[in-house]
Amino acid sequence: MTDKKKGVSSTTLIVISMVLGVVVGFIVGEPMNNVKFIGDIFFHLVQMGIIPFVMCTIIEAVGALDAKAFSGYGLKGIGWFAASSLLAAGIGLVLAVNIQPGAGIEASTASVDYQSTSVTFQDTISGFFGSNIVSSMSNGSMVQCIVFAIALGLACSVWRRTHDNECLVYDFCSQLSKLILNIIRAVMKIAPIGIFCYVSAMIGSLGLAVLIPVAMYLVVMAIAVAIMFVIWIALVSVRCKYNPIRLIRKMWPMSALALGTISSAVTLPTALEDTKSKLGADPEIADLLMVLGMPLNSNGAAIHLAVTALTIAQIYGVAFSGGQLVYVWIISFLLSLANAVSPGASLVSMTMIVPQLGLPMESIAIFAGLEYPTGALRTILNVDGDVYTCLMVSASEGKLHSEVFYDKETPKPEVEA
């Protein structure tokens, strides 16, 4: 019997490439700037399919909603998804603004051509709506593209309900998103090379001091995730009358799987089964909301995007105004919709948000080797947030089976002898 060799995971290779990039960049210095173009090519390859991928993913998710999903518990679930992800992005934003994980590195500001402009709240909101979707796509205006994708997804949903579930646009977007996903997966195979070139070039020009904020960055993310867990568990414990310690213990298997795989998709079957058989959520509600929650409910991704964006801005000495902070908050929420199941989500999400804020792409290299720790923090909150939503909606619909949670058997009628 021949033993099959287990390959090194892509996450491990990325971490190794980052470490090597730091070492080589520190030893060689400025000459490493000559290989930066390879990193540029890698990130361009990742970026080239981002906008159509995001739009198709959202169109597919929203377009899959049927009449049942638009009424009753479907709308309640979507409401919880939106509210919790907005809250998560807001928590990440507030912590990053106050703790300043990226502050203290002034040497890098000279390399950034950033022009701060006065942006009002009205300008921020009106900027979410483009007048020409082709122009929005060509200019890389992600928020405008997402707004259009949501509108088209709703139109597809209505069309499918009135045309025997048939819609060519919906089918096209569904297939296109899968094809682009395959392209992204293929590009991610050369991620270690691109990241090595970026990291070595950055360390060669800026020095090791650029790595100082990384530890604090992870701490801020962990605090934000912990706050969201406390809020969720408190809400579920009060609304569902569940023992919080028992809730944590019963959710540990799916949480551990989420931490280990850093994949919402891989964790879904276990989470779905446990939500129904161990936690007492209504099966019909769980079947809809757990699947719908993968693209539409990403509390962890919203935190990651907000904290990362502000940390990078602080590293490069960029100060955002109040209106710009609102923009970061909203775009972190919107981009989290298409982030949940994309491969190499940490890198992909950063290539989405960094250009939107006028920040340098090379800043992504600072965080490129953190796919596992950031992925673990994101995924456990993404998965558990879906479960909490199912429980809250089940309780509000009067369909929560608490006897399942407390392992109580339904009393059987006595049979007279």
Side-chain angles (χ1 to χ4, degrees), residues 108-364:
S108 57
T109 57
S111 64
V112 183
D113 182 19
Y114 182 88
Q115 297 181 3
S116 180
T117 56
S118 177
V119 180
T120 65
F121 178 77
Q122 291 87 344
D123 291 336
T124 301
I125 298 301
S126 63
F128 293 161
F129 304 91
S131 58
N132 186 327
I133 185 57
V134 176
S135 176
S136 298
M137 291 178 69
S138 64
N139 293 330
S141 302
M142 188 67 75
V143 176
Q144 295 176 4
C145 293
I146 290 175
V147 170
F148 178 84
I150 293 173
L152 184 55
L154 290 172
C156 287
S157 176
V158 174
W159 181 276
R160 293 176 73 226
R161 294 205 312 272
T162 57
H163 291 78
D164 297 325
N165 252 7
E166 292 183 3
C167 179
L168 290 177
V169 173
Y170 174 83
D171 294 339
F172 171 78
C173 290
S174 177
Q175 291 185 25
L176 183 59
S177 68
K178 292 176 177 61
L179 291 172
I180 296 175
L181 197 61
N182 287 335
I183 294 175
I184 295 175
R185 285 195 179 113
V187 172
M188 290 304 296
K189 290 180 180 178
I190 63 170
I193 298 172
I195 290 167
F196 169 79
C197 295
Y198 249 124
V199 171
S200 59
M202 173 170 284
I203 297 300
S205 59
L206 300 179
L208 288 175
V210 77
L211 299 179
I212 291 174
V214 170
M216 186 55 67
Y217 161 78
L218 290 175
V219 169
V220 171
M221 270 200 67
I223 293 173
V225 168
I227 290 173
M228 277 302 298
F229 267 118
V230 170
I231 293 172
W232 267 124
I233 292 172
L235 286 171
V236 173
S237 299
V238 172
R239 182 67 181 85
C240 303
K241 297 180 174 61
Y242 277 3
N243 182 300
I245 304 300
R246 191 182 186 91
L247 178 65
I248 294 170
R249 191 172 70 246
K250 279 183 167 281
M251 291 183 66
W252 173 243
M254 69 176 79
S255 300
L257 186 60
L259 285 170
T261 62
I262 61 170
S263 170
S264 298
V266 173
T267 311
L268 180 62
T270 299
L272 183 58
E273 178 59 30
D274 287 358
T275 301
K276 294 184 287 188
S277 63
K278 292 184 179 180
L279 302 176
D282 180 74
E284 192 175 55
I285 292 175
D287 285 339
L288 172 67
L289 296 186
M290 285 297 290
V291 176
L292 196 59
M294 287 184 64
L296 295 182
N297 187 39
S298 300
N299 297 174
I303 288 173
H304 174 252
L305 287 163
V307 173
T308 301
L310 287 187
T311 301
I312 291 173
Q314 290 158 10
I315 290 173
Y316 285 88
V318 176
F320 291 135
S321 65
Q324 289 168 325
L325 287 175
V326 171
Y327 181 81
V328 175
W329 176 43
I330 299 298
I331 197 176
S332 296
F333 160 66
L334 291 174
L335 289 179
S336 73
L337 300 180
N339 184 71
V341 293
S342 52
S346 179
L347 289 176
V348 174
S349 63
M350 283 189 274
T351 61
M352 291 179 187
I353 197 167
V354 168
Q356 300 295 311
L357 303 177
L359 298 171
M361 284 295 291
E362 56 264 29
S363 61
I364 295 174

Side-chain angles (χ1 to χ4, degrees), residues 356-413:
Q356 300 295 311
L357 303 177
L359 298 171
M361 284 295 291
E362 56 264 29
S363 61
I364 295 174
I366 302 171
F367 308 95
L370 303 177
E371 173 61 21
Y372 181 80
T374 58
L377 289 170
R378 285 195 316 271
T379 307
I380 188 173
L381 185 55
N382 288 346
V383 171
D384 289 10
D386 294 344
V387 176
Y388 296 137
T389 299
C390 289
L391 294 175
M392 294 296 286
V393 174
S394 294
S396 69
E397 292 285 313
K399 296 182 178 181
L400 185 68
H401 305 286
S402 56
E403 72 279 359
V404 174
F405 178 79
Y406 286 107
D407 301 322
K408 294 179 181 177
E409 291 187 9
T410 306
K412 295 179 182 178

Side-chain angles (χ1 to χ4, degrees), residues 65-77:
L65 300 173
D66 55 19
K68 181 186 291 183
F70 275 109
S71 62
Y73 60 78
L75 281 179
K76 286 182 181 179

